[in-house]
Amino acid sequence: MKMRSTGAVIVLFFCLLRATALFAQNDKDADKVLFNKAADIRKEGNKYFTKDPAKADKLFTEANRIYHGTADASLGLQEHQNRLPTLRYYHGDIRGGNKAVEDEINSLRKKTQVLIPKMIGNGYIPSTEVIKVYYTQRAYLNLSYGDAALASSDIRKIIELGFEKDEYNTQHTSWAGGLGSARLQNLFQLGQYIAFLNEDKQLIADMQPVFVKMQEEDFVTTGQIYLAILNKEYDKAISIASNFAETGANNRINARFLIAWSYALQKQTVKSEEYIKLLLKGIRVGPKMVARINALNAINEKKYQEAVGYADESLKPMRYLYLSYEQPGKFFYYSVRAQAYAGLKQYEKAKADYERALLYNAEYAPAINGLAQLEAAIIREQRGDKTAPLITVLEPGAKRGLKVTAAAKEVMVKGLAEDPSGIKEVTINNQVVYLKPDGNFWGNVSLKEGVNTITISATDIAGNRAEQNIEVETQVANAKTDDIVPVVSKESKNYALVIAAQNYDDTQIPSLENPVSDAIKLKLVLKNQYNFSEDNIYTLYNPVVADLRKKFADINEFIQPEDNLVIFYAGHGIWVEKEKKGYWLLTDAKRNDVNTWFSNKLMLDLIAQVAARHTLLITDACFSGSIFKTRSLGADAPPAVRELSEKISRVAITSGNDTEVPDESVFMKYLIKALSENKEKYLTAQKMFINQIIEAVMSETKIEPRYGTLELAGHIGGDYIFTKK
């Protein structure tokens, strides 16, 4: 009996083994079926990668639901890659690409191994190996072009997962072609530098054991110097860097930079400038690399205007291929420039820069302390201020060379009122006019035939008042209207900010299908048919509120008073009847939390801060008509283009009044059609709206689009003009 019982157990054991193997084989067979089905869908999606990104997105998403694709070609055949992150990154949707990676990682965590195609046959590898490649590529891309905080988090997760030296040196192909290879070695080296600029001490410390294990002695030493500087141990940093400079040419450059930086932080300007001169002798070091040191030295020497110039240069956005990205550590540059403006007693500009610094680093102590000191300085200034404001008239005048004839019944007056205690009010001929916080003002003045005296008055916060008179003479009635020309003017540039909110974090807000695709279509029309260069079209796909505020801060760095700006938004909108307010819902909006919504009033405030002469806001969202303060313009044909181009305009075209609009936008269809089929050299926004949009949209949907002025953002006349190439 005992022998028979043992034999039965053995038989049962082998039966279980066989059953387990059978089940495992069935699982593998099922995996192969799903894998091949997903691969066929990915091949179909590749056909639409550039020509119809919305359709490609749907196909790639469907394929990912069926079976995982490989992270890149280093893990298998190229045609089996998960190209959803690639698609979104390629079209500038950094946040959407990041989310696609996160979704795939969350799915992979549920598996222990995944099927990977090989040149001959298929095989399985641990899912953690695929996850590490996703983290590596996402972190590398975000360090350079996207969210540095997310990159830091990904680097820490890679450290937690662990890796050996062969993995450290393995090269993975980039997702979006031309962005460079991604390998752990490159990622950690770049990550250390970006962490230093962003003052992320913890990440630098977390990476130090990795560099020790990988025998990266140079980066171990660099990390020690970075940490010493961030801990304000400047003598220690200089000592380590001085020895480091003797270990090679590249190390010499890095060491001299860090020594110059350490001396600047100690306000030892002479020693700092000695090392800057040594740095600039090398062909690999240019003025931009040392701009942050020069800015700090200028502050230390109270050369505030020079400091502003260095900070301006450093804050210019960088571009690589189709991506525009921010300088790391922007909060530092904004804070330095704020110090310079405070030194110049331009307190409103200083306040704006400190607030911008906090957009990038909400806990940055120099900005927080700077704002507090600024408030105290303004109060002291107001109490002791007995000096009247300084008024500078910019237009009409020689700067734009405007000649006013009898054909013009009014003229735009533009100027700058400056006072350390701030400007309370500006009037022109006793009429209050539009005033920006930085003192820029403008308004229209009616003219009579002959000599017109125009009185400009500015009152500061302390109650001091200044007055200035200018004279404008109209010519006789038979003068040629061709005399109304800007005889001296700067060449203007056209800029566009294209915003699309499509994939929402809150599941109570339904995601949309078409905003990003619509935004891409508009971008291509502007680039290909109108005077918009690729470098001057900025995209924000699936942005959060902070992204939009940061992008406006960027725009304010380079846009000039003679330039033009188009702002486009597609996404959800909402109306609060009780408050009589309209809002945009960006992708971090919470359905039940109004504090997370982006108000129309805030958008008007941001538009008002932009220096552009003409700004056109186009919105394709529910309740978008609530952006207007008072009125829409009538259907009268606009006046001559030359006169329109002289006046500051803030106008908007919206897809509807106070109504809901569909995801598949008829408004967008006719907007793109109008711009694409236009044959005129100069097309005003109003004329396009009247002739090609309103009637067509209403006849197809019964929804009434609107055209109107944004009075609260500084509109005084004129219109936005599209200029064909």
Side-chain angles (χ1 to χ4, degrees):
M1 290 290 296
K2 189 173 184 181
M3 289 292 294
R4 288 180 63 188
S5 176
T6 303
V9 170
I10 292 172
V11 170
L12 179 61
F13 174 74
F14 279 107
C15 286
L16 288 172
L17 280 180
R18 183 177 179 185
T20 302
L22 184 61
F23 286 137
Q25 184 59 47
N26 288 340
D27 286 345
K28 289 182 179 180
D29 290 342
D31 275 357
K32 289 178 183 177
V33 171
L34 294 174
F35 178 82
N36 290 328
K37 183 178 179 181
D40 289 339
I41 296 172
R42 290 188 177 100
K43 289 176 184 176
E44 182 70 13
N46 287 334
K47 298 176 184 177
Y48 301 97
F49 191 91
T50 54
K51 64 182 180 181
D52 192 343
K55 186 169 185 176
D57 195 292
K58 291 176 188 176
L59 289 166
F60 290 147
T61 300
E62 181 185 355
N64 287 348
R65 279 198 296 264
I66 294 170
Y67 200 83
H68 307 283
T70 58
D72 77 336
S74 68
L75 293 179
L77 301 179
Q78 188 172 7
E79 58 265 30
H80 295 289
Q81 287 182 48
N82 167 18
R83 297 199 76 198
L84 185 59
T86 311
L87 176 78
R88 294 178 178 176
Y89 289 137
Y90 178 86
H91 289 289
D93 184 4
I94 301 295
R95 193 163 183 271
N98 290 340
K99 186 178 185 302
V101 174
E102 191 66 27
D103 290 343
E104 188 70 359
I105 287 173
N106 289 336
S107 180
L108 285 166
R109 286 198 183 105
K110 299 173 184 176
K111 291 178 173 286
T112 56
Q113 58 180 8
V114 291
L115 182 64
I116 294 296
K118 303 293 183 182
M119 294 300 295
I120 300 177
N122 300 308
Y124 283 85
I125 66 171
S127 59
T128 53
E129 299 305 305
V130 186
I131 288 172
K132 270 190 284 189
V133 177
Y134 274 119
Y135 279 141
T136 300
Q137 293 183 315
R138 184 171 70 173
Y140 193 83
L141 184 138
N142 277 275
L143 278 176
S144 300
Y145 313 108
D147 184 346
L150 177 61
S152 298
S153 174
D154 284 350
I155 290 172
R156 290 189 176 95
K157 289 172 182 173
I158 292 168
I159 294 172
E160 290 172 9
L161 288 170
F163 52 87
E164 299 302 323
K165 193 158 188 176
D166 59 336
E167 294 178 81
Y168 184 73
N169 293 310
T170 297
Q171 178 172 312
H172 300 286
T173 56
S174 65
W175 266 319
L179 295 180
S181 64
R183 66 176 78 192
L184 286 176
Q185 183 184 44
N186 297 344
L187 172 63
F188 278 81
Q189 291 173 5
L190 178 62
Q192 186 190 57
Y193 175 65
I194 301 298
F196 171 61
L197 295 182
N198 285 330
E199 301 191 11
D200 188 346
K201 292 191 287 185
Q202 188 58 56
L203 181 59
I204 296 172
D206 290 344
M207 287 192 288
Q208 285 294 89
V210 173
F211 289 126
V212 171
K213 181 180 178 180
M214 298 300 149
Q215 299 177 318
E216 296 270 25
E217 295 179 6
D218 289 348
F219 289 94
V220 172
T221 305
T222 303
Q224 292 171 349
I225 302 170
Y226 287 163
L227 288 172
I229 291 173
L230 295 179
N231 289 324
K232 300 183 180 180
E233 300 170 343
Y234 303 125
D235 290 340
K236 178 181 178 181
I238 291 169
S239 175
I240 299 172
S242 297
N243 293 326
F244 190 48
E246 304 301 321
T247 60
N250 286 333
N251 295 344
R252 188 176 302 117
I253 292 172
N254 293 336
R256 286 174 174 172
F257 176 88
L258 295 171
I259 292 170
W261 180 237
S262 297
Y263 278 130
L265 290 168
Q266 294 183 92
K267 299 185 178 181
Q268 297 187 42
T269 305
V270 174
K271 288 185 176 180
S272 178
E273 289 178 345
E274 287 176 5
Y275 279 91
I276 291 173
K277 289 177 182 177
L278 290 173
L279 280 167
L280 293 175
K281 285 182 179 179
I283 59 174
R284 288 184 291 176
V285 179
K288 193 158 188 173
M289 179 178 174
V290 295
R292 66 162 37 213
I293 310 177
N294 282 329
L296 197 56
N297 283 332
I299 290 287
N300 294 337
E301 296 298 306
K302 298 184 178 180
K303 299 176 180 177
Y304 299 123
Q305 200 59 56
E306 286 186 22
V308 169
Y310 288 127
D312 285 347
E313 183 63 27
S314 299
L315 282 165
K316 290 178 180 177
M318 303 173 71
R319 289 194 71 90
Y320 182 75
L321 298 177
Y322 45 82
L323 293 174
S324 173
Y325 57 100
E326 302 160 350
Q327 291 272 21
K330 289 188 76 167
F331 52 86
F332 166 82
Y333 297 111
Y334 278 126
S335 291
V336 165
R337 193 171 68 179
Q339 291 179 60
Y341 281 137
L344 294 168
K345 294 189 175 183
Q346 298 179 21
Y347 295 130
E348 284 297 331
K349 289 183 178 179
K351 181 182 178 183
D353 271 351
Y354 279 133
E355 290 172 347
R356 288 166 183 158
L358 294 174
L359 280 176
Y360 290 90
N361 186 341
E363 299 178 357
Y364 190 50
I368 296 171
N369 296 335
L371 277 172
Q373 293 167 7
L374 198 61
E375 290 299 322
I378 292 172
I379 291 171
R380 287 196 303 270
E381 196 70 46
Q382 290 172 355
R383 286 175 179 170
D385 186 9
K386 303 297 181 185
T387 306
L390 173 66
I391 300 173
T392 304
V393 178
L394 303 175
E395 297 180 35
K399 187 173 182 180
R400 284 181 63 83
L402 188 67
K403 293 182 179 180
V404 182
T405 71
K409 296 180 181 179
E410 58 184 16
V411 65
M412 184 181 76
V413 177
K414 181 181 180 185
L416 177 64
E418 298 175 282
D419 191 274
S421 65
I423 303 298
K424 179 181 179 181
E425 182 181 84
V426 173
T427 64
I428 302 177
N429 287 351
N430 296 318
Q431 297 295 314
V432 176
V433 297
Y434 186 78
L435 173 67
K436 291 176 64 176
D438 62 4
N440 276 283
F441 65 86
W442 54 78
N444 267 352
V445 178
S446 298
L447 298 174
K448 62 183 181 180
E449 189 171 305
V451 176
N452 294 261
T453 299
I454 299 173
T455 301
I456 303 165
S457 175
T459 306
D460 65 21
I461 301 296
N464 303 303
R465 184 171 177 271
E467 189 173 285
Q468 183 172 333
N469 293 326
I470 61 172
E471 290 187 347
V472 176
E473 183 177 2
T474 58
Q475 296 180 2
V476 294
N478 62 358
K480 295 180 180 179
T481 58
D482 287 345
D483 291 335
I484 308 176
V485 293
V487 295
V488 179
S489 65
K490 293 182 180 178
E491 182 180 354
S492 64
K493 294 181 180 179
N494 295 317
Y495 293 90
L497 173 58
V498 182
I499 310 158
Q502 180 165 308
N503 303 314
Y504 287 83
D505 297 338
D506 187 347
T507 55
Q508 294 187 57
I509 302 175
S511 290
L512 300 168
E513 292 188 358
N514 297 301
V516 172
S517 178
D518 289 342
I520 291 169
K521 291 175 185 175
L522 178 62
K523 175 184 174 180
L524 292 175
V525 169
L526 294 178
K527 183 182 76 169
N528 295 333
Q529 295 184 231
Y530 295 87
N531 285 335
F532 290 81
S533 71
E534 175 84 17
D535 289 350
N536 294 344
I537 301 176
Y538 296 87
T539 56
L540 274 180
Y541 299 147
N542 291 310
V544 298
V545 169
D547 294 334
L548 188 52
R549 295 180 71 102
K550 288 176 184 177
K551 188 55 66 177
F552 268 93
D554 277 349
I555 288 171
N556 281 317
E557 290 305 315
F558 52 79
I559 211 160
Q560 298 300 310
E562 64 272 8
D563 294 333
N564 310 305
L565 174 65
V566 171
I567 302 167
F568 170 82
Y569 171 72
H572 279 303
I574 198 166
W575 173 257
V576 179
E577 179 62 30
K578 183 178 179 181
E579 300 177 5
K580 302 294 182 184
K581 289 182 180 179
Y583 296 86
W584 294 357
L585 298 185
L586 301 180
T587 55
D588 59 342
K590 304 296 182 186
R591 179 63 182 83
N592 298 319
D593 185 359
V594 69
N595 295 315
T596 65
W597 306 347
F598 192 89
S599 71
N600 285 344
K601 174 62 168 62
L602 180 54
M603 172 50 64
L604 290 173
D605 290 343
L606 292 175
I607 290 174
Q609 293 170 20
V610 178
R613 180 161 292 264
H614 303 293
T615 299
L616 170 63
L617 173 64
I618 304 173
T619 63
D620 187 13
C622 299
F623 310 105
S624 52
S626 60
I627 196 77
F628 302 111
K629 179 191 175 188
T630 52
R631 61 189 174 88
S632 291
L633 298 187
D636 297 334
V641 169
R642 283 170 301 175
E643 291 184 40
L644 289 174
S645 70
E646 292 298 318
K647 295 178 182 177
I648 291 175
S649 66
R650 303 284 185 264
V651 295
I653 297 175
T654 69
S655 59
N657 191 359
D658 296 335
T659 56
E660 293 188 2
V661 296
D663 183 12
E664 190 169 345
S665 175
V666 174
F667 170 79
M668 277 304 300
K669 179 175 78 173
Y670 286 107
L671 173 65
I672 298 299
K673 186 174 187 289
L675 290 170
S676 300
E677 297 179 359
N678 169 48
K679 304 298 182 185
E680 299 183 30
K681 176 68 175 176
Y682 303 105
L683 175 66
T684 67
Q686 185 185 7
K687 185 175 181 180
M688 175 180 71
F689 176 81
I690 293 168
N691 292 348
Q692 296 171 275
I693 294 179
I694 183 170
E695 185 176 343
V697 173
M698 289 187 68
S699 64
E700 194 165 324
T701 66
K702 308 305 179 185
I703 294 172
E704 181 185 359
R706 292 185 68 190
Y707 171 95
T709 63
L710 306 177
E711 309 291 338
L712 292 176
H715 177 83
I716 64 167
D719 198 0
Y720 190 93
I721 302 165
F722 290 96
T723 306
K724 289 273 286 185
K725 282 188 174 179

